[in-house]
Amino acid sequence: MSLKPASLAEIRKELKNRDPEELAAICLRLGRFKKDNKELLTYLLFDAQDEAGYIEVVKYAIDDMMNEINRSHIYYAKKGIQKILRQLNKNIRYSGNKQTEVEILLYFCQSIRDSGIAIHRSNVLQNLYERQKVKINKALSTLHEDLQTDYIGLVNEL
C-alpha cells in the first residue's frame, strides 16, 4: 500500500468491482471531506439532468452576489467580483458543458457591465473582464455553428 493516489483507470476498474451499496457509501464519505466534492455530487445527482435549470440557478446566484458587492471603493468591488468568478468557474467545471460555460460567462460579463462598477478605473478588473471575453470566444468556437450565431450578437455587445 502506498500513499500515492491511484490513476483514474485503476479507480474505474476498482469501481466496477464494487456493489451499489458500497458505491453509495463511498460517495457519501467523499462528500463529507470537502465542500467541492459535496457541490459536485449535488450537481451530478440533482442538476445534471436539467442543464437549463442549472444555468438559471447560477444566474440568480450571480444576481444575488452582484447585489452584495461592496461598491464603496473599487478595491472592494474588485475583491467581490473575483469571488463571484471563482464560484462561477467551479459551477462551469462541474457542468463541463461548453454551452453552459458560454451562457454563464456571458451573463457574468453583462452583469458587470450593467452593475455601474467603474471597471475602467482598475487594471485588474479590466483584464479580468477581457479574459472572460476571451474565454467566451474560445468556448464559443467549440459549439455548433447554429449556436455560435445565436451567441455572437450577445458577445459583440460586450
Side-chain angles (χ1 to χ4, degrees):
M1 182 170 158
S2 73
L3 295 177
K4 202 161 118 179
S7 70
L8 284 178
E10 292 170 330
I11 291 172
R12 184 181 304 116
K13 186 176 167 185
E14 185 61 29
L15 287 173
K16 288 180 181 178
N17 296 332
R18 303 290 175 110
D19 66 353
E21 285 181 22
E22 198 173 357
L23 287 176
I26 290 170
C27 287
L28 289 173
R29 187 166 180 210
L30 188 62
R32 282 197 325 238
F33 278 97
K34 201 168 186 188
K35 183 180 175 190
D36 289 349
N37 292 344
K38 192 182 298 183
E39 289 172 348
L40 177 59
L41 285 171
T42 301
Y43 169 78
L44 292 172
L45 293 173
F46 302 109
D47 299 325
Q49 298 82 2
D50 182 19
E51 198 69 24
Y54 180 68
I55 291 169
E56 289 304 311
V57 168
V58 172
K59 286 180 179 180
Y60 287 129
I62 291 171
D63 290 339
D64 289 343
M65 290 185 284
M66 288 297 284
N67 289 333
E68 293 173 7
I69 287 180
N70 182 345
R71 300 165 200 272
S72 65
H73 193 276
I74 194 73
Y75 173 81
Y76 299 121
K78 175 188 73 158
K79 290 298 182 188
I81 288 173
Q82 289 172 329
K83 181 179 178 183
I84 293 169
L85 185 59
R86 278 193 303 276
Q87 181 61 45
L88 294 183
N89 284 331
K90 275 200 275 187
N91 295 129
I92 290 167
R93 212 172 48 238
Y94 296 153
S95 170
N97 184 328
K98 290 297 183 184
Q99 185 176 356
T100 300
E101 179 177 357
V102 168
E103 287 201 34
I104 289 173
L105 290 178
L106 263 173
Y107 192 79
F108 174 65
C109 288
Q110 290 167 344
S111 296
I112 290 174
R113 189 189 62 213
D114 298 341
S115 70
I117 296 172
I119 63 170
H120 63 276
R121 289 184 34 217
S122 167
N123 283 340
V124 173
L125 280 179
Q126 271 186 310
N127 292 337
L128 180 143
Y129 186 78
E130 292 302 320
R131 274 194 313 273
Q132 299 321 302
K133 287 175 28 179
V134 169
K135 281 175 71 174
I136 290 168
N137 285 321
K138 185 176 179 183
L140 196 58
S141 69
T142 65
L143 295 178
H144 189 271
E145 290 176 11
D146 294 339
L147 289 173
Q148 286 182 17
T149 55
D150 294 343
Y151 290 115
I152 284 178
L154 296 172
V155 171
N156 290 336
E157 288 178 18
L158 297 177

